[in-house]
Amino acid sequence: MNYNLISELWIPVLWKTGNTSRVGIIDALTQAHEIRQIAASNPMNRLAILRFLLALLYWCRGNPPDDKDSLHSLPSNWFKTLDDNKDCFNLLGDRKRFYQDFTAKRPRPVTVLAQEIPAGNNFWHFRHATDKESGMCPACCAMGLLRLSLFAVSGLSGPGEPNLMAGINGVPPLYVAPLGKSLLESLLVNWMKCANIGEPSWSHPEASQDPNAEVSLLTGLTLLPRRVHLHDPIKAGSACTRCGSADLPLIYTCDYQTAGKQENAKWDDPHVLYLDGEARKAMRAADLTAAGRFRMDRPWADLVARILETGRTGTFFVVGFATNKAKNIDVWERSIKLRMDPSTSEAAPAMVMNWRAQGWALEKRLEKIARSVVEAAASMAAIRPQVEATISAKVGDLIAAEPKAWEQAAREYTPFMTAIAKSLSPGYTTTALQRRREIEYLRPDMQPKTKMDRRAGRKKGGDE
């Protein structure tokens, strides 16, 4: 069976008309102006397909023309390279295959390509699958291969183990991709001039073996940390365990092994935000299931502040994949809309981080009033996720508004603090009423600090 990604209908898209369908590579590019967005249900697939189409655009056309913002569509004659190299995109067959290696070993169920499908003895899931009995259609296998360069994790190391290693970015980072109102706009806003475009791994797989070498753009976007070989599909009459498509030949197994160390500190991923400092670190998704306080609100403030520091505005598609070595914990997505008034642009990152700091300080302030560390921690852990979800959803409006808007945002805590005050300070004594009133008015202090305030804050000892 042959399955060529250029001609087969495998990319799910949402058209501007509201209809959905699947298209091949050529139609996805040449009809991008009519497509609203990639319509895959998993955000990992939407990001992987967007980056794949972007890589194809660089490979076929090179750097963008100076008038790219005036393009109403992508000309079909730009993509002659695809026709000339059609054999690079065969998913199946006895010859050259897309993102695959015929020398790969270690048979595994094909569901290793989809992190959301449980494997091995991890059977306590809402969604059930059985290794080698649950198959995936060719389209889902293709999307699984595209994910590898972004979301592969390390694990199973030691004598006799396969020593799986992470991709070029190491532990999967937060990915932040600008979006437009159509697939064409999304491609154009990500299509930036690059001095070293290079070659993709589907045409030059040998160009990406040295983890200490300089990395070209296309090598970094398409580098695979796994050697994979899909086994032949079987017409069994069951549905794809991932997408539910029926009456298709399904692939049940593959060969799947590590491609060695690919992590490279010299690679600058265009969709990764790096923290400043001597040891460059990528921003990563927080494990929201881990023990600790306020895990639910940790990512957004740091993320927004870092985006603002880049000076870019617009809509950003954020995908976070939380992992612990070989353990897949969670994947989440966020759409962040940022616009800035020039008069407030410089202060915006500081205001976001001040909000984060003030939120964390609320627990200490509550401890002093309630005089119970345990009760204060439990109370704040119960309400902060709700408040932070509300504020983070409106952060674009807050950044575009005057600094006083942050004071209004702080009032989101009021109804919750009123309820907590009644719980932590019951009774009708003078002391209880005063303590309850202090708790009710507790909220982040977003007033700008003066030099006098900072000087007064250095005082040690004595009553507050």
Side-chain angles (χ1 to χ4, degrees):
M1 176 182 177
N2 188 27
Y3 192 96
N4 191 278
L5 300 181
I6 293 179
S7 55
E8 294 288 344
L9 308 181
W10 64 281
I11 301 175
V13 297
L14 171 65
W15 298 89
K16 287 183 175 180
T17 61
N19 297 323
T20 59
S21 68
R22 294 196 179 213
V23 298
I25 290 176
I26 295 293
D27 283 342
L29 291 167
T30 58
Q31 299 298 314
H33 57 291
E34 298 292 346
I35 297 172
R36 174 66 185 88
Q37 63 180 23
I38 304 300
S41 58
N42 191 312
M44 302 166 83
N45 286 343
R46 295 204 297 278
L47 178 65
I49 293 173
L50 177 64
R51 282 170 55 110
F52 173 58
L53 295 176
L54 180 65
L56 291 172
L57 189 55
Y58 274 107
W59 188 48
C60 294
R61 185 64 174 83
N63 277 318
D66 293 334
D67 62 344
K68 73 164 186 175
D69 293 334
S70 63
L71 289 173
H72 298 294
S73 63
L74 299 178
S76 58
N77 59 7
W78 283 8
F79 304 109
K80 186 177 181 299
T81 302
L82 295 178
D83 288 328
D84 295 340
N85 296 272
K86 195 171 183 178
D87 61 330
C88 291
F89 299 94
N90 287 324
L91 191 70
L92 303 169
D94 297 330
R95 298 184 179 181
K96 193 173 185 179
R97 286 194 183 189
F98 176 74
Y99 273 3
Q100 293 175 67
D101 186 339
F102 281 94
T103 66
K105 299 179 180 179
R106 188 173 172 257
R108 297 291 295 154
V110 76
T111 49
V112 296
L113 297 176
Q115 289 91 339
E116 66 269 33
I117 299 177
N121 61 356
N122 298 323
F123 49 83
W124 296 117
H125 292 77
F126 285 109
R127 182 175 189 175
H128 301 284
T130 303
D131 290 352
K132 300 180 182 179
E133 293 182 17
S134 298
M136 291 182 7
C137 67
C140 287
C141 290
M143 286 185 269
L145 290 172
L146 292 181
R147 287 189 196 179
L148 287 175
S149 59
L150 290 88
F151 300 108
V153 298
S154 62
L156 301 175
S157 60
E161 297 291 351
N163 295 317
L164 301 177
M165 295 187 180
I168 191 170
N169 287 317
V171 177
L174 277 173
Y175 290 99
V176 183
L179 290 184
K181 294 181 179 180
S182 68
L183 178 57
L184 174 63
E185 289 186 18
S186 296
L187 289 171
L188 293 180
V189 77
N190 285 280
W191 192 22
M192 310 295 289
K193 289 188 180 296
C194 175
N196 183 14
I197 295 178
E199 292 289 336
S201 63
W202 59 72
S203 64
H204 288 73
E206 70 282 354
S208 56
Q209 299 303 313
D210 186 356
N212 298 311
E214 295 289 339
V215 183
S216 68
L217 177 65
L218 287 180
T219 296
L221 289 176
T222 63
L223 178 61
L224 290 185
R226 300 287 186 271
R227 292 166 56 200
V228 181
H229 177 250
L230 297 175
H231 295 169
D232 290 338
I234 300 173
K235 181 72 172 177
S238 56
C240 172
T241 191
R242 208 204 137 265
C243 71
S245 297
D247 299 324
L248 292 174
L250 300 181
I251 299 169
Y252 291 87
T253 55
C254 66
D255 290 304
Y256 182 90
Q257 67 181 98
T258 185
K261 183 179 179 181
Q262 304 288 9
E263 184 175 356
N264 193 315
K266 296 182 179 181
W267 162 240
D268 284 312
D269 194 296
H271 299 128
V272 172
L273 297 176
Y274 297 96
L275 302 175
D276 295 331
E278 295 181 3
R280 191 188 65 162
K281 292 179 61 177
M283 294 193 69
R284 296 192 173 98
D287 177 3
L288 306 185
T289 67
R293 295 172 293 179
F294 308 152
R295 288 282 180 176
M296 294 299 293
D297 72 295
R298 287 188 63 181
W300 79 266
D302 293 340
L303 174 64
V304 170
R306 187 66 190 90
I307 294 175
L308 290 171
E309 288 172 359
T310 67
R312 303 189 72 176
T313 57
T315 301
F316 298 89
F317 177 45
V318 183
V319 179
F321 182 41
T323 66
N324 183 358
K325 295 184 179 179
K327 183 179 180 181
N328 303 326
I329 297 171
D330 185 32
V331 59
W332 55 266
E333 65 174 300
R334 202 72 181 266
S335 180
I336 300 176
K337 296 181 180 180
L338 298 179
R339 54 188 177 86
M340 283 190 291
D341 187 310
S343 63
T344 61
S345 59
E346 292 185 5
M351 291 299 293
V352 174
M353 294 310 293
N354 186 33
W355 172 270
R356 180 184 185 278
Q358 288 295 322
W360 278 82
L362 276 181
E363 181 183 328
K364 294 296 183 183
R365 293 168 62 190
L366 182 59
E367 285 178 13
K368 294 178 181 179
I369 301 173
R371 300 181 180 178
S372 172
V373 175
V374 174
E375 290 180 346
S379 299
M380 294 308 302
I383 70 168
R384 274 200 78 199
Q386 172 64 30
V387 177
E388 297 298 335
T390 301
I391 300 305
S392 63
K394 300 177 180 178
V395 68
D397 295 333
L398 282 169
I399 289 170
E402 296 181 357
K404 291 182 180 179
W406 287 95
E407 280 294 318
Q408 190 172 4
R411 294 174 193 161
E412 292 286 343
Y413 275 93
T414 300
F416 296 98
M417 299 311 299
T418 299
I420 286 177
K422 294 177 181 179
S423 174
L424 298 185
S425 185
Y428 296 96
T429 64
T430 302
T431 302
L433 290 172
Q434 181 179 353
R435 185 174 297 155
R436 191 151 64 235
R437 192 174 298 112
E438 291 178 5
I439 296 175
E440 288 177 357
Y441 287 99
L442 197 61
R443 60 176 66 102
D445 179 12
M446 297 302 294
Q447 291 289 341
K449 302 297 182 292
T450 64
K451 291 183 179 180
M452 187 63 68
D453 293 331
R454 288 192 289 270
R455 192 176 297 118
R458 293 175 184 162
K459 183 179 178 180
K460 295 182 178 180
D463 297 330
E464 294 188 4

